[in-house]
Amino acid sequence: YDLLRLRTEVFVIEQQCVFQDMDGADPACHHLLGERDGTLLAYARLVPAGLKFPEASIGRVVSDPATRGTGIGHALMREAVAQLQALW
């Protein structure tokens, strides 16, 4: 629920990009959650090869607006790349 709420808050509301976020790919993906004290601060979706692109990919990268400028996005991407390489 928290990851869908954050994705909707940023992609649909803040960026005013009306699209179907729940695209059916989530069940086949790995989800990287950046949490502190039980609150979701950042998120990235790790997509296996062949689902969206021929190669494995990182998508739906988002950080809570309150965390911007803190470096959490950089930390999220470093971990996302490391996890993608470890998984596939």
Side-chain angles (χ1 to χ4, degrees), residues 41-55:
L41 302 178
Y43 165 82
R45 180 167 81 171
L46 309 179
V47 185
L51 187 60
K52 292 284 184 177
F53 303 103
E55 59 282 328

Side-chain angles (χ1 to χ4, degrees), residues 16-18 23 27 87:
Q16 299 179 2
C17 183
V18 179
D23 58 2
L87 288 165

Side-chain angles (χ1 to χ4, degrees), residues 1-80:
Y1 174 85
D2 288 341
L3 71 91
L4 293 175
R5 180 203 51 78
L6 182 59
R7 285 175 11 185
T8 299
E9 178 184 339
V10 173
F11 298 139
V12 178
I13 297 170
E14 179 184 331
Q15 296 179 357
Q16 299 179 2
C17 183
V18 179
F19 70 105
Q20 179 59 293
D21 180 42
M22 289 162 275
D23 58 2
D26 282 332
C29 296
H30 288 263
H31 303 274
L32 184 59
L33 306 174
E35 299 178 326
R36 182 181 302 133
D37 300 325
T39 300
L40 181 63
L41 302 178
Y43 165 82
R45 180 167 81 171
L46 309 179
V47 185
L51 187 60
K52 292 284 184 177
F53 303 103
E55 59 282 328
S57 60
I58 301 168
R60 300 289 201 267
V61 177
V62 62
S63 61
D64 186 288
T67 67
R68 296 195 187 138
T70 65
I72 196 167
H74 293 285
L76 176 71
M77 288 307 297
R78 280 192 301 274
E79 186 62 23

